[in-house]
């Protein structure tokens, strides 16, 4: 026998609205029992200790540290032209990626 709290009528109406179900197209008795069962599962899960941080199991890395936000000088256009022969009018020419008709 379940001892957990059941949902009330207004909560059921809100769930129907959020799920875009109409009371006419839904068996409310079955739906209410299913929602009550789900609430019961959450009450079972809440009995377990979750105070341990799950991220403590993994070593810390430098990946989560961001670079400093500082302005640095970029490349001069003359230097960029030396990098590639496909640089023209301030842009790099690249192969066409999209197929025919795009």
């Amino acid at each position: 026998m379940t001892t957990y709290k059941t949902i009330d009528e207004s909560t059921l109406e809100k769930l129907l609205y959020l799920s875009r179900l109409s009371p006419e197209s839904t068996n409310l008795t079955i739906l209410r029992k299913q929602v009550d069962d789900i609430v019961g599962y959450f009450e079972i899960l809440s009995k377990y200790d979750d105070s341990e941080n799950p991220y403590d199991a993994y070593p810390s890395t430098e990946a989560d540290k961001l670079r400093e936000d500082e302005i640095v000088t970029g490349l001069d256009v003359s230097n960029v032209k030396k990098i590639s022969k496909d640089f023209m009018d301030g842009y790099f020419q690249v192969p066409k990626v999209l197929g025919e008709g795009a």
Side-chain angles (χ1 to χ4, degrees):
M1 188 82 191
T2 57
T3 58
Y4 49 84
K5 182 179 167 185
T6 59
I7 63 166
D8 59 2
E9 193 66 33
S10 68
T11 305
L12 185 61
E13 288 176 14
K14 290 175 185 174
L15 287 173
L16 286 172
Y17 174 76
L18 289 172
S19 61
R20 302 296 190 250
L21 296 173
S22 65
E24 296 82 26
S25 67
T26 307
N27 187 334
L28 295 179
T29 307
I30 293 174
L31 181 65
R32 181 185 299 271
K33 174 153 180 8
Q34 291 172 341
V35 173
D36 285 342
D37 289 342
I38 293 170
V39 170
Y41 296 141
F42 280 106
E43 289 185 6
I44 291 170
L45 290 174
S46 68
K47 293 178 184 175
Y48 292 98
D49 180 28
D50 64 347
S51 62
E52 182 180 323
N53 186 352
Y55 297 107
D56 289 342
Y58 303 103
S60 63
T61 62
E62 299 294 316
D64 58 348
K65 295 183 181 175
L66 301 175
R67 63 174 170 77
E68 293 297 320
D69 196 15
E70 58 188 46
I71 298 173
V72 295
T73 57
L75 296 173
D76 292 327
V77 174
S78 60
N79 292 335
V80 174
K81 287 182 181 179
K82 295 177 188 175
I83 294 173
S84 172
K85 62 181 175 66
D86 297 325
F87 185 80
M88 187 172 80
D89 296 331
Y91 298 97
F92 286 100
Q93 181 182 2
V94 295
K96 187 175 181 179
V97 177
L98 301 174
E100 292 292 322

